[in-house]
Amino acid sequence: MAEATKKAFVTGHPIKHSRSPRIHGYWLAKHGIDGSYQAIDVAPRDFAAFLKTLQANGYRGGNVTIPHKEAAFALVERRDQAAQEIGAVNTLWLEDGTLWGGNTDGHGFAANLDDHAPGWESKGPAVVLGAGGASRAVVHALKQRGVADIRIVNRTLARAQELRDRFGAGVSAHDMAATGELLADAALLVNTTAIGMHGNEGLAADPALLPAHAIVTDIVYVPLETPLLAAARERGLKTVDGLGMLLNQAVPGFEHWFGIRPQVTAELRALIEADLAPKP
Ligand code: ATR
């Protein structure tokens, strides 16, 4: 079979559990594009060399995931504003021979809330649990969308303070003991920690401490309904799961490589949901 003319990839280490090939494969088929999107496992020591060969290997670009997002940030020739502010790159593309790095995680986060909780950004203070890479993307998106009071809570206070210093006005840093007080008047609670993920059961915070109008979202999507989301739903709060963030972060990359801005449809969501479901 002849090789596809438009080629993209996702690279990480490991990479075999990535859902991205399914997402982009769905859009390629839907739009009848002569393109491919391949998962490529690249060890950290080989990552710089891998980037150098992209053009020669016919790639238009691709996605970068754990553990390469920071290395990609350091190695690209140009960065978009989101990557610059987040300090990590998840999307690469070649433009007139120049390797660009962008970050679409913040876009994915905000677009997911736009889809499922429109108006979310204008309701009041946001509490963000965690201060790692995912938290940086979330805080970037919150600032971008004009949330004026962003409260980062982290087990290690120093990491929350680093984020506060990075993002400046409107962002505050707290240790976990302050959570209850911070939740009392919050309009949005975001979990960016691994708590609640399969194999790491537990409740990242108690949604009972939130006001009744609050929205609760988790960036973890395995399981789709985390203990935090289940507890919030039982309290009657609006919840948004993390799958839509994964689907929406893929949109700008596809547009860069294949020239069409794809849609996050119910059909796509159902396809990926079926893939996430525990196999008998
Ligand atoms: P990512 O890039 O996915 O955000 P990370 O940089 O490893 O991953 O950050 C993980 C976040 O989850 C951190 O905020 C971490 O808290 P620390 O900075 O104190 O390590 C948080 N986290 C992970 N496990 C946790 C746990 N059991 N209790 C509280 N916080 C936890």
PDB file of all heavy atoms in Angstrom, residues 90-127:
ATOM      1  N   ASN A  90       2.754  20.142  23.787  1.00  0.00           N
ATOM      2  CA  ASN A  90       2.089  18.863  23.501  1.00  0.00           C
ATOM      3  C   ASN A  90       1.774  18.700  22.013  1.00  0.00           C
ATOM      4  O   ASN A  90       1.297  17.649  21.595  1.00  0.00           O
ATOM      5  CB  ASN A  90       0.814  18.693  24.340  1.00  0.00           C
ATOM      6  CG  ASN A  90      -0.359  19.486  23.802  1.00  0.00           C
ATOM      7  OD1 ASN A  90      -0.174  20.494  23.104  1.00  0.00           O
ATOM      8  ND2 ASN A  90      -1.568  19.056  24.100  1.00  0.00           N
ATOM      9  N   THR A  91       2.019  19.738  21.217  1.00  0.00           N
ATOM     10  CA  THR A  91       1.684  19.679  19.787  1.00  0.00           C
ATOM     11  C   THR A  91       2.827  20.294  18.981  1.00  0.00           C
ATOM     12  O   THR A  91       3.270  21.406  19.290  1.00  0.00           O
ATOM     13  CB  THR A  91       0.378  20.455  19.517  1.00  0.00           C
ATOM     14  OG1 THR A  91      -0.658  19.915  20.347  1.00  0.00           O
ATOM     15  CG2 THR A  91      -0.069  20.334  18.071  1.00  0.00           C
ATOM     16  N   LEU A  92       3.277  19.568  17.969  1.00  0.00           N
ATOM     17  CA  LEU A  92       4.371  20.047  17.107  1.00  0.00           C
ATOM     18  C   LEU A  92       3.858  20.180  15.684  1.00  0.00           C
ATOM     19  O   LEU A  92       3.025  19.384  15.246  1.00  0.00           O
ATOM     20  CB  LEU A  92       5.504  19.011  17.072  1.00  0.00           C
ATOM     21  CG  LEU A  92       6.190  18.649  18.385  1.00  0.00           C
ATOM     22  CD1 LEU A  92       7.052  17.404  18.171  1.00  0.00           C
ATOM     23  CD2 LEU A  92       7.038  19.805  18.875  1.00  0.00           C
ATOM     24  N   TRP A  93       4.346  21.177  14.967  1.00  0.00           N
ATOM     25  CA  TRP A  93       4.051  21.241  13.534  1.00  0.00           C
ATOM     26  C   TRP A  93       5.183  21.964  12.820  1.00  0.00           C
ATOM     27  O   TRP A  93       5.881  22.797  13.408  1.00  0.00           O
ATOM     28  CB  TRP A  93       2.699  21.903  13.271  1.00  0.00           C
ATOM     29  CG  TRP A  93       2.592  23.357  13.637  1.00  0.00           C
ATOM     30  CD1 TRP A  93       2.768  24.440  12.813  1.00  0.00           C
ATOM     31  CD2 TRP A  93       2.266  23.907  14.941  1.00  0.00           C
ATOM     32  NE1 TRP A  93       2.571  25.607  13.506  1.00  0.00           N
ATOM     33  CE2 TRP A  93       2.258  25.314  14.815  1.00  0.00           C
ATOM     34  CE3 TRP A  93       1.981  23.351  16.191  1.00  0.00           C
ATOM     35  CZ2 TRP A  93       1.987  26.169  15.885  1.00  0.00           C
ATOM     36  CZ3 TRP A  93       1.710  24.205  17.263  1.00  0.00           C
ATOM     37  CH2 TRP A  93       1.712  25.586  17.102  1.00  0.00           C
ATOM     38  N   LEU A  94       5.349  21.606  11.560  1.00  0.00           N
ATOM     39  CA  LEU A  94       6.375  22.245  10.735  1.00  0.00           C
ATOM     40  C   LEU A  94       5.707  23.309   9.878  1.00  0.00           C
ATOM     41  O   LEU A  94       4.669  23.063   9.255  1.00  0.00           O
ATOM     42  CB  LEU A  94       7.054  21.205   9.838  1.00  0.00           C
ATOM     43  CG  LEU A  94       8.080  20.327  10.567  1.00  0.00           C
ATOM     44  CD1 LEU A  94       8.257  18.993   9.876  1.00  0.00           C
ATOM     45  CD2 LEU A  94       9.425  21.054  10.703  1.00  0.00           C
ATOM     46  N   GLU A  95       6.285  24.486   9.883  1.00  0.00           N
ATOM     47  CA  GLU A  95       5.744  25.591   9.092  1.00  0.00           C
ATOM     48  C   GLU A  95       6.912  26.194   8.320  1.00  0.00           C
ATOM     49  O   GLU A  95       7.845  26.715   8.938  1.00  0.00           O
ATOM     50  CB  GLU A  95       5.151  26.617  10.075  1.00  0.00           C
ATOM     51  CG  GLU A  95       3.984  27.399   9.541  1.00  0.00           C
ATOM     52  CD  GLU A  95       3.342  28.239  10.658  1.00  0.00           C
ATOM     53  OE1 GLU A  95       2.775  27.663  11.605  1.00  0.00           O
ATOM     54  OE2 GLU A  95       3.461  29.475  10.585  1.00  0.00           O
ATOM     55  N   ASP A  96       6.921  26.079   7.029  1.00  0.00           N
ATOM     56  CA  ASP A  96       8.035  26.550   6.197  1.00  0.00           C
ATOM     57  C   ASP A  96       9.381  26.071   6.739  1.00  0.00           C
ATOM     58  O   ASP A  96      10.346  26.844   6.827  1.00  0.00           O
ATOM     59  CB  ASP A  96       8.034  28.092   6.113  1.00  0.00           C
ATOM     60  CG  ASP A  96       6.701  28.619   5.566  1.00  0.00           C
ATOM     61  OD1 ASP A  96       6.130  27.944   4.702  1.00  0.00           O
ATOM     62  OD2 ASP A  96       6.241  29.679   6.037  1.00  0.00           O
ATOM     63  N   GLY A  97       9.434  24.817   7.149  1.00  0.00           N
ATOM     64  CA  GLY A  97      10.697  24.231   7.610  1.00  0.00           C
ATOM     65  C   GLY A  97      11.042  24.532   9.055  1.00  0.00           C
ATOM     66  O   GLY A  97      12.037  24.037   9.576  1.00  0.00           O
ATOM     67  N   THR A  98      10.228  25.356   9.728  1.00  0.00           N
ATOM     68  CA  THR A  98      10.490  25.683  11.136  1.00  0.00           C
ATOM     69  C   THR A  98       9.651  24.777  12.029  1.00  0.00           C
ATOM     70  O   THR A  98       8.455  24.594  11.783  1.00  0.00           O
ATOM     71  CB  THR A  98      10.117  27.162  11.401  1.00  0.00           C
ATOM     72  OG1 THR A  98      10.965  27.979  10.592  1.00  0.00           O
ATOM     73  CG2 THR A  98      10.303  27.534  12.868  1.00  0.00           C
ATOM     74  N   LEU A  99      10.283  24.234  13.079  1.00  0.00           N
ATOM     75  CA  LEU A  99       9.549  23.365  14.004  1.00  0.00           C
ATOM     76  C   LEU A  99       8.916  24.208  15.109  1.00  0.00           C
ATOM     77  O   LEU A  99       9.614  24.825  15.919  1.00  0.00           O
ATOM     78  CB  LEU A  99      10.486  22.319  14.613  1.00  0.00           C
ATOM     79  CG  LEU A  99       9.796  21.315  15.560  1.00  0.00           C
ATOM     80  CD1 LEU A  99       8.732  20.497  14.829  1.00  0.00           C
ATOM     81  CD2 LEU A  99      10.835  20.401  16.211  1.00  0.00           C
ATOM     82  N   TRP A 100       7.593  24.225  15.105  1.00  0.00           N
ATOM     83  CA  TRP A 100       6.810  24.957  16.101  1.00  0.00           C
ATOM     84  C   TRP A 100       6.322  24.020  17.203  1.00  0.00           C
ATOM     85  O   TRP A 100       5.996  22.861  16.937  1.00  0.00           O
ATOM     86  CB  TRP A 100       5.567  25.573  15.453  1.00  0.00           C
ATOM     87  CG  TRP A 100       5.813  26.877  14.783  1.00  0.00           C
ATOM     88  CD1 TRP A 100       6.354  27.063  13.537  1.00  0.00           C
ATOM     89  CD2 TRP A 100       5.510  28.181  15.307  1.00  0.00           C
ATOM     90  NE1 TRP A 100       6.404  28.414  13.254  1.00  0.00           N
ATOM     91  CE2 TRP A 100       5.888  29.111  14.326  1.00  0.00           C
ATOM     92  CE3 TRP A 100       4.954  28.647  16.499  1.00  0.00           C
ATOM     93  CZ2 TRP A 100       5.738  30.488  14.508  1.00  0.00           C
ATOM     94  CZ3 TRP A 100       4.797  30.006  16.683  1.00  0.00           C
ATOM     95  CH2 TRP A 100       5.191  30.916  15.692  1.00  0.00           C
ATOM     96  N   GLY A 101       6.234  24.564  18.414  1.00  0.00           N
ATOM     97  CA  GLY A 101       5.657  23.806  19.521  1.00  0.00           C
ATOM     98  C   GLY A 101       4.519  24.611  20.132  1.00  0.00           C
ATOM     99  O   GLY A 101       4.669  25.793  20.428  1.00  0.00           O
ATOM    100  N   GLY A 102       3.398  23.951  20.315  1.00  0.00           N
ATOM    101  CA  GLY A 102       2.256  24.609  20.938  1.00  0.00           C
ATOM    102  C   GLY A 102       1.774  23.787  22.120  1.00  0.00           C
ATOM    103  O   GLY A 102       2.229  22.665  22.345  1.00  0.00           O
ATOM    104  N   ASN A 103       0.863  24.369  22.872  1.00  0.00           N
ATOM    105  CA  ASN A 103       0.232  23.600  23.942  1.00  0.00           C
ATOM    106  C   ASN A 103      -1.272  23.790  23.851  1.00  0.00           C
ATOM    107  O   ASN A 103      -1.775  24.912  23.973  1.00  0.00           O
ATOM    108  CB  ASN A 103       0.763  24.020  25.322  1.00  0.00           C
ATOM    109  CG  ASN A 103       0.358  23.007  26.369  1.00  0.00           C
ATOM    110  OD1 ASN A 103      -0.821  22.650  26.468  1.00  0.00           O
ATOM    111  ND2 ASN A 103       1.321  22.514  27.132  1.00  0.00           N
ATOM    112  N   THR A 104      -1.983  22.688  23.640  1.00  0.00           N
ATOM    113  CA  THR A 104      -3.433  22.739  23.444  1.00  0.00           C
ATOM    114  C   THR A 104      -4.196  22.185  24.649  1.00  0.00           C
ATOM    115  O   THR A 104      -5.419  22.054  24.595  1.00  0.00           O
ATOM    116  CB  THR A 104      -3.840  21.944  22.181  1.00  0.00           C
ATOM    117  OG1 THR A 104      -3.574  20.553  22.404  1.00  0.00           O
ATOM    118  CG2 THR A 104      -3.074  22.401  20.952  1.00  0.00           C
ATOM    119  N   ASP A 105      -3.479  21.849  25.730  1.00  0.00           N
ATOM    120  CA  ASP A 105      -4.161  21.277  26.906  1.00  0.00           C
ATOM    121  C   ASP A 105      -5.104  22.289  27.559  1.00  0.00           C
ATOM    122  O   ASP A 105      -6.211  21.934  27.988  1.00  0.00           O
ATOM    123  CB  ASP A 105      -3.142  20.776  27.935  1.00  0.00           C
ATOM    124  CG  ASP A 105      -2.454  19.491  27.489  1.00  0.00           C
ATOM    125  OD1 ASP A 105      -3.064  18.716  26.730  1.00  0.00           O
ATOM    126  OD2 ASP A 105      -1.305  19.268  27.911  1.00  0.00           O
ATOM    127  N   GLY A 106      -4.662  23.535  27.643  1.00  0.00           N
ATOM    128  CA  GLY A 106      -5.516  24.576  28.229  1.00  0.00           C
ATOM    129  C   GLY A 106      -6.745  24.812  27.369  1.00  0.00           C
ATOM    130  O   GLY A 106      -7.869  24.946  27.875  1.00  0.00           O
ATOM    131  N   HIS A 107      -6.548  24.818  26.054  1.00  0.00           N
ATOM    132  CA  HIS A 107      -7.679  24.951  25.128  1.00  0.00           C
ATOM    133  C   HIS A 107      -8.661  23.797  25.336  1.00  0.00           C
ATOM    134  O   HIS A 107      -9.888  24.004  25.406  1.00  0.00           O
ATOM    135  CB  HIS A 107      -7.183  24.965  23.680  1.00  0.00           C
ATOM    136  CG  HIS A 107      -8.274  24.689  22.690  1.00  0.00           C
ATOM    137  ND1 HIS A 107      -9.179  25.644  22.305  1.00  0.00           N
ATOM    138  CD2 HIS A 107      -8.644  23.534  22.075  1.00  0.00           C
ATOM    139  CE1 HIS A 107     -10.056  25.092  21.478  1.00  0.00           C
ATOM    140  NE2 HIS A 107      -9.752  23.828  21.318  1.00  0.00           N
ATOM    141  N   GLY A 108      -8.120  22.573  25.458  1.00  0.00           N
ATOM    142  CA  GLY A 108      -8.977  21.392  25.650  1.00  0.00           C
ATOM    143  C   GLY A 108      -9.782  21.485  26.929  1.00  0.00           C
ATOM    144  O   GLY A 108     -10.978  21.170  26.955  1.00  0.00           O
ATOM    145  N   PHE A 109      -9.143  21.965  27.966  1.00  0.00           N
ATOM    146  CA  PHE A 109      -9.814  22.119  29.255  1.00  0.00           C
ATOM    147  C   PHE A 109     -10.979  23.109  29.147  1.00  0.00           C
ATOM    148  O   PHE A 109     -12.111  22.827  29.559  1.00  0.00           O
ATOM    149  CB  PHE A 109      -8.794  22.600  30.302  1.00  0.00           C
ATOM    150  CG  PHE A 109      -9.424  23.003  31.596  1.00  0.00           C
ATOM    151  CD1 PHE A 109      -9.827  22.031  32.506  1.00  0.00           C
ATOM    152  CD2 PHE A 109      -9.639  24.342  31.903  1.00  0.00           C
ATOM    153  CE1 PHE A 109     -10.442  22.399  33.691  1.00  0.00           C
ATOM    154  CE2 PHE A 109     -10.246  24.713  33.088  1.00  0.00           C
ATOM    155  CZ  PHE A 109     -10.655  23.729  33.985  1.00  0.00           C
ATOM    156  N   ALA A 110     -10.707  24.281  28.581  1.00  0.00           N
ATOM    157  CA  ALA A 110     -11.743  25.319  28.501  1.00  0.00           C
ATOM    158  C   ALA A 110     -12.858  24.912  27.533  1.00  0.00           C
ATOM    159  O   ALA A 110     -14.048  25.128  27.817  1.00  0.00           O
ATOM    160  CB  ALA A 110     -11.110  26.641  28.060  1.00  0.00           C
ATOM    161  N   ALA A 111     -12.495  24.306  26.415  1.00  0.00           N
ATOM    162  CA  ALA A 111     -13.502  23.907  25.425  1.00  0.00           C
ATOM    163  C   ALA A 111     -14.433  22.831  25.998  1.00  0.00           C
ATOM    164  O   ALA A 111     -15.636  22.807  25.697  1.00  0.00           O
ATOM    165  CB  ALA A 111     -12.819  23.405  24.152  1.00  0.00           C
ATOM    166  N   ASN A 112     -13.891  21.958  26.828  1.00  0.00           N
ATOM    167  CA  ASN A 112     -14.710  20.915  27.464  1.00  0.00           C
ATOM    168  C   ASN A 112     -15.757  21.559  28.379  1.00  0.00           C
ATOM    169  O   ASN A 112     -16.933  21.173  28.361  1.00  0.00           O
ATOM    170  CB  ASN A 112     -13.797  19.980  28.256  1.00  0.00           C
ATOM    171  CG  ASN A 112     -14.517  18.805  28.885  1.00  0.00           C
ATOM    172  OD1 ASN A 112     -15.480  18.284  28.324  1.00  0.00           O
ATOM    173  ND2 ASN A 112     -14.053  18.389  30.050  1.00  0.00           N
ATOM    174  N   LEU A 113     -15.340  22.551  29.154  1.00  0.00           N
ATOM    175  CA  LEU A 113     -16.312  23.245  30.015  1.00  0.00           C
ATOM    176  C   LEU A 113     -17.295  24.053  29.170  1.00  0.00           C
ATOM    177  O   LEU A 113     -18.489  24.113  29.488  1.00  0.00           O
ATOM    178  CB  LEU A 113     -15.583  24.141  31.019  1.00  0.00           C
ATOM    179  CG  LEU A 113     -14.823  23.402  32.135  1.00  0.00           C
ATOM    180  CD1 LEU A 113     -14.123  24.393  33.058  1.00  0.00           C
ATOM    181  CD2 LEU A 113     -15.759  22.508  32.948  1.00  0.00           C
ATOM    182  N   ASP A 114     -16.820  24.669  28.091  1.00  0.00           N
ATOM    183  CA  ASP A 114     -17.733  25.397  27.193  1.00  0.00           C
ATOM    184  C   ASP A 114     -18.827  24.462  26.669  1.00  0.00           C
ATOM    185  O   ASP A 114     -19.998  24.844  26.575  1.00  0.00           O
ATOM    186  CB  ASP A 114     -16.975  25.968  25.984  1.00  0.00           C
ATOM    187  CG  ASP A 114     -16.097  27.142  26.360  1.00  0.00           C
ATOM    188  OD1 ASP A 114     -16.306  27.739  27.428  1.00  0.00           O
ATOM    189  OD2 ASP A 114     -15.177  27.455  25.570  1.00  0.00           O
ATOM    190  N   ASP A 115     -18.420  23.219  26.323  1.00  0.00           N
ATOM    191  CA  ASP A 115     -19.382  22.256  25.773  1.00  0.00           C
ATOM    192  C   ASP A 115     -20.416  21.819  26.815  1.00  0.00           C
ATOM    193  O   ASP A 115     -21.572  21.595  26.485  1.00  0.00           O
ATOM    194  CB  ASP A 115     -18.655  20.984  25.277  1.00  0.00           C
ATOM    195  CG  ASP A 115     -17.880  21.216  23.985  1.00  0.00           C
ATOM    196  OD1 ASP A 115     -18.098  22.267  23.349  1.00  0.00           O
ATOM    197  OD2 ASP A 115     -17.048  20.353  23.616  1.00  0.00           O
ATOM    198  N   HIS A 116     -19.956  21.629  28.050  1.00  0.00           N
ATOM    199  CA  HIS A 116     -20.824  20.974  29.035  1.00  0.00           C
ATOM    200  C   HIS A 116     -21.325  21.872  30.163  1.00  0.00           C
ATOM    201  O   HIS A 116     -22.224  21.484  30.903  1.00  0.00           O
ATOM    202  CB  HIS A 116     -20.110  19.747  29.617  1.00  0.00           C
ATOM    203  CG  HIS A 116     -19.790  18.719  28.573  1.00  0.00           C
ATOM    204  ND1 HIS A 116     -20.753  17.911  28.012  1.00  0.00           N
ATOM    205  CD2 HIS A 116     -18.631  18.411  27.945  1.00  0.00           C
ATOM    206  CE1 HIS A 116     -20.193  17.133  27.098  1.00  0.00           C
ATOM    207  NE2 HIS A 116     -18.909  17.428  27.033  1.00  0.00           N
ATOM    208  N   ALA A 117     -20.711  23.053  30.316  1.00  0.00           N
ATOM    209  CA  ALA A 117     -21.147  23.967  31.381  1.00  0.00           C
ATOM    210  C   ALA A 117     -20.971  25.410  30.910  1.00  0.00           C
ATOM    211  O   ALA A 117     -20.197  26.171  31.485  1.00  0.00           O
ATOM    212  CB  ALA A 117     -20.349  23.718  32.662  1.00  0.00           C
ATOM    213  N   PRO A 118     -21.651  25.782  29.811  1.00  0.00           N
ATOM    214  CA  PRO A 118     -21.440  27.123  29.245  1.00  0.00           C
ATOM    215  C   PRO A 118     -21.657  28.220  30.288  1.00  0.00           C
ATOM    216  O   PRO A 118     -22.515  28.085  31.154  1.00  0.00           O
ATOM    217  CB  PRO A 118     -22.480  27.201  28.121  1.00  0.00           C
ATOM    218  CG  PRO A 118     -23.315  25.975  28.190  1.00  0.00           C
ATOM    219  CD  PRO A 118     -22.653  25.001  29.088  1.00  0.00           C
ATOM    220  N   GLY A 119     -20.808  29.243  30.214  1.00  0.00           N
ATOM    221  CA  GLY A 119     -20.897  30.334  31.187  1.00  0.00           C
ATOM    222  C   GLY A 119     -20.051  30.081  32.426  1.00  0.00           C
ATOM    223  O   GLY A 119     -19.991  30.893  33.333  1.00  0.00           O
ATOM    224  N   TRP A 120     -19.352  28.941  32.451  1.00  0.00           N
ATOM    225  CA  TRP A 120     -18.582  28.502  33.629  1.00  0.00           C
ATOM    226  C   TRP A 120     -17.578  29.550  34.103  1.00  0.00           C
ATOM    227  O   TRP A 120     -17.292  29.631  35.296  1.00  0.00           O
ATOM    228  CB  TRP A 120     -17.831  27.195  33.314  1.00  0.00           C
ATOM    229  CG  TRP A 120     -16.843  27.347  32.174  1.00  0.00           C
ATOM    230  CD1 TRP A 120     -17.112  27.200  30.857  1.00  0.00           C
ATOM    231  CD2 TRP A 120     -15.468  27.727  32.266  1.00  0.00           C
ATOM    232  NE1 TRP A 120     -15.987  27.452  30.107  1.00  0.00           N
ATOM    233  CE2 TRP A 120     -14.961  27.777  30.946  1.00  0.00           C
ATOM    234  CE3 TRP A 120     -14.596  28.025  33.319  1.00  0.00           C
ATOM    235  CZ2 TRP A 120     -13.635  28.128  30.666  1.00  0.00           C
ATOM    236  CZ3 TRP A 120     -13.283  28.365  33.039  1.00  0.00           C
ATOM    237  CH2 TRP A 120     -12.810  28.412  31.718  1.00  0.00           C
ATOM    238  N   GLU A 121     -17.057  30.346  33.175  1.00  0.00           N
ATOM    239  CA  GLU A 121     -15.932  31.215  33.534  1.00  0.00           C
ATOM    240  C   GLU A 121     -16.335  32.461  34.305  1.00  0.00           C
ATOM    241  O   GLU A 121     -15.489  33.143  34.873  1.00  0.00           O
ATOM    242  CB  GLU A 121     -15.116  31.586  32.288  1.00  0.00           C
ATOM    243  CG  GLU A 121     -15.776  32.533  31.320  1.00  0.00           C
ATOM    244  CD  GLU A 121     -16.666  31.823  30.305  1.00  0.00           C
ATOM    245  OE1 GLU A 121     -17.522  30.998  30.713  1.00  0.00           O
ATOM    246  OE2 GLU A 121     -16.565  32.147  29.117  1.00  0.00           O
ATOM    247  N   SER A 122     -17.642  32.755  34.312  1.00  0.00           N
ATOM    248  CA  SER A 122     -18.049  34.034  34.902  1.00  0.00           C
ATOM    249  C   SER A 122     -18.786  33.849  36.222  1.00  0.00           C
ATOM    250  O   SER A 122     -19.492  34.736  36.683  1.00  0.00           O
ATOM    251  CB  SER A 122     -18.908  34.795  33.897  1.00  0.00           C
ATOM    252  OG  SER A 122     -19.932  33.954  33.442  1.00  0.00           O
ATOM    253  N   LYS A 123     -18.640  32.694  36.850  1.00  0.00           N
ATOM    254  CA  LYS A 123     -19.431  32.411  38.048  1.00  0.00           C
ATOM    255  C   LYS A 123     -18.734  32.744  39.370  1.00  0.00           C
ATOM    256  O   LYS A 123     -19.381  32.879  40.395  1.00  0.00           O
ATOM    257  CB  LYS A 123     -19.883  30.954  38.040  1.00  0.00           C
ATOM    258  CG  LYS A 123     -20.874  30.640  36.912  1.00  0.00           C
ATOM    259  CD  LYS A 123     -21.520  29.296  37.132  1.00  0.00           C
ATOM    260  CE  LYS A 123     -22.300  28.762  35.962  1.00  0.00           C
ATOM    261  NZ  LYS A 123     -23.255  29.676  35.349  1.00  0.00           N
ATOM    262  N   GLY A 124     -17.383  32.835  39.362  1.00  0.00           N
ATOM    263  CA  GLY A 124     -16.700  33.155  40.616  1.00  0.00           C
ATOM    264  C   GLY A 124     -15.360  32.469  40.754  1.00  0.00           C
ATOM    265  O   GLY A 124     -14.787  32.003  39.760  1.00  0.00           O
ATOM    266  N   PRO A 125     -14.846  32.381  41.982  1.00  0.00           N
ATOM    267  CA  PRO A 125     -13.507  31.837  42.223  1.00  0.00           C
ATOM    268  C   PRO A 125     -13.369  30.367  41.802  1.00  0.00           C
ATOM    269  O   PRO A 125     -14.336  29.601  41.851  1.00  0.00           O
ATOM    270  CB  PRO A 125     -13.343  31.944  43.750  1.00  0.00           C
ATOM    271  CG  PRO A 125     -14.366  32.922  44.201  1.00  0.00           C
ATOM    272  CD  PRO A 125     -15.497  32.846  43.232  1.00  0.00           C
ATOM    273  N   ALA A 126     -12.138  30.001  41.397  1.00  0.00           N
ATOM    274  CA  ALA A 126     -11.847  28.616  41.025  1.00  0.00           C
ATOM    275  C   ALA A 126     -10.802  28.052  41.974  1.00  0.00           C
ATOM    276  O   ALA A 126      -9.827  28.731  42.307  1.00  0.00           O
ATOM    277  CB  ALA A 126     -11.330  28.555  39.592  1.00  0.00           C
ATOM    278  N   VAL A 127     -11.004  26.810  42.407  1.00  0.00           N
ATOM    279  CA  VAL A 127     -10.006  26.100  43.209  1.00  0.00           C
ATOM    280  C   VAL A 127      -9.407  25.006  42.327  1.00  0.00           C
ATOM    281  O   VAL A 127     -10.136  24.201  41.739  1.00  0.00           O
ATOM    282  CB  VAL A 127     -10.637  25.486  44.479  1.00  0.00           C
ATOM    283  CG1 VAL A 127      -9.625  24.598  45.209  1.00  0.00           C
ATOM    284  CG2 VAL A 127     -11.151  26.587  45.400  1.00  0.00           C
TER     285      VAL A 127
END
